[in-house]
Amino acid sequence: YDASPSQASLCDVPDPPGHWVTDTDVDGQAKLLCLNFGTRAGFRNLKATFDPTGVDPLACMLVADGEGGYICDTPNADVNWLVETTPGPAATIEKVLPEPTAGAAYAVVSPAPVVRVKDQYANLKPGATVSWDPGGSSGSVSPASSTTGADGETTTAWTLGPGSNTLLASIPNRQSVLFSASGSFDLALANACVTGGQKDNVTLFGITVPSEAKPIALIGLNLSSTGAPGQTENFLVTMTATRTKVDGTGVDTWIATARLQSGSNSSKGTESEVQFDFLGTGSKTPIPTWTGLGNNKDPGIRITMTAQQVVDGLPGPMPSNRAVNMNAGGCPAGSKNCKPTKVAAAAQCEVTEWQRSPLVDPYRKGLAARVYTIK
């Protein structure tokens, strides 16, 4: 018996390896006791040669005919078997270059992420299941699970989210690789308005923003502080946006933070537009469009804010004589008669302001808001 190539071998045989001679038994049968299939996947040739020396010249070797019978082969004939060694279980996973690094947000990235799976002996592993798991704000994939082909490779279509994205590809033994790609995006001003000329403490009032046709990435508010004249003070404002879930079982929440630096020269404070970026300093994901079912009415995005004063780089409680206010916008510090610039007519402004509980008396309405969506 001979086995070739050398990755397959005959077990427990004397030298030379891969070759073994035996006699037939009383039934005229010769048996190979052990065959090592080796570690390399593929097909091997196993050959048996009948040596008629010293036997009846009419002797022949019975060879299976494939139909349940045998045929009498001529002396000195070789019989060959094709022996297949298949890959073992999936053991390793690796990325196939080139890998995706950047693309447009909300579009399928190119080139697609591709992985290659092998068994413990580095044989390509077909039929292995690979799971694709994008991070919480890293877009989506289709399919979420795929199977390797004959080359041990498989892929998925990865639709990027805005900003930084990660995609984890893993096999059942917990081995995995991580893809990273950035999703580029442009902002568009979806709604801008001014509703009045007063100052309202952000901790006492909230606003409601309608769900837009595209994801909301950023909300800008005109803010000022009641800082001390001639002093520069810093404040950290946290914006929490909530919206009722489609099934009514609770709310979805997004959080963004922003800094207000007030270089005050009067009790009115310096006013500026402060942008709450849900992609950068916030939840790392935009506020998605409303996906109500049936006749469900879009409840809008309800926004509340809290404020802290930053001293020596550390945020802490607001002093009793300090406040961060929403403003109507466009008025310099110390101005007594400034009228805010109307970015949009009040009748067209869909952003609304409301009092938080407990209600404040008297209720004053002052709001300059800008809502930015992803193009």
Side-chain angles (χ1 to χ4, degrees), residues 44-69:
R44 309 287 182 263
N45 182 56
L46 180 63
K47 180 175 66 177
T49 300
F50 170 60
D51 182 4
T53 303
V55 299
D56 190 320
L58 298 179
C60 63
M61 182 164 57
L62 293 177
V63 181
D65 61 6
E67 298 180 358

Side-chain angles (χ1 to χ4, degrees), residues 199-373:
K199 297 188 300 181
D200 293 333
N201 189 323
V202 296
T203 64
L204 302 179
F205 298 91
I207 61 175
T208 300
V209 177
S211 294
E212 300 292 342
K214 294 184 177 181
I216 295 175
L218 187 149
I219 295 177
L221 294 176
N222 278 74
L223 300 180
S224 68
S225 69
T226 53
Q231 294 185 16
T232 298
E233 296 180 323
N234 285 276
F235 302 91
L236 180 68
V237 184
T238 299
M239 174 181 286
T240 301
T242 59
R243 184 173 56 198
T244 303
K245 290 180 179 291
V246 175
D247 58 9
T249 58
V251 297
D252 291 314
T253 301
W254 301 267
I255 297 175
T257 59
R259 290 290 187 97
L260 170 66
Q261 179 171 307
S262 177
S264 176
N265 61 6
S266 77
S267 61
K268 190 169 183 178
T270 301
E271 181 182 303
S272 60
E273 181 183 352
V274 176
Q275 295 184 337
F276 295 85
D277 181 4
F278 289 94
L279 296 173
T281 64
S283 302
K284 308 300 181 184
T285 178
I287 303 174
T289 54
W290 172 247
T291 54
L293 303 176
N295 296 322
N296 286 5
K297 184 179 180 181
D298 180 359
I301 302 162
R302 193 171 177 87
I303 290 170
T304 57
M305 287 164 282
T306 58
Q308 295 173 291
Q309 187 178 41
V310 179
V311 179
D312 296 330
L314 299 176
M318 289 287 288
S320 59
N321 60 344
R322 295 289 186 271
V324 173
N325 300 308
M326 289 188 289
N327 292 72
C331 294
S335 172
K336 302 295 184 182
N337 302 310
C338 173
K339 294 183 179 180
T341 302
K342 294 284 185 179
V343 181
Q348 298 174 330
C349 178
E350 297 182 58
V351 181
T352 57
E353 186 181 1
W354 44 270
Q355 297 186 65
R356 298 175 67 174
S357 179
L359 299 180
V360 179
D361 188 32
Y363 172 54
R364 301 184 306 173
K365 191 173 185 179
L367 170 66
R370 293 165 181 82
V371 178
Y372 298 86
T373 63

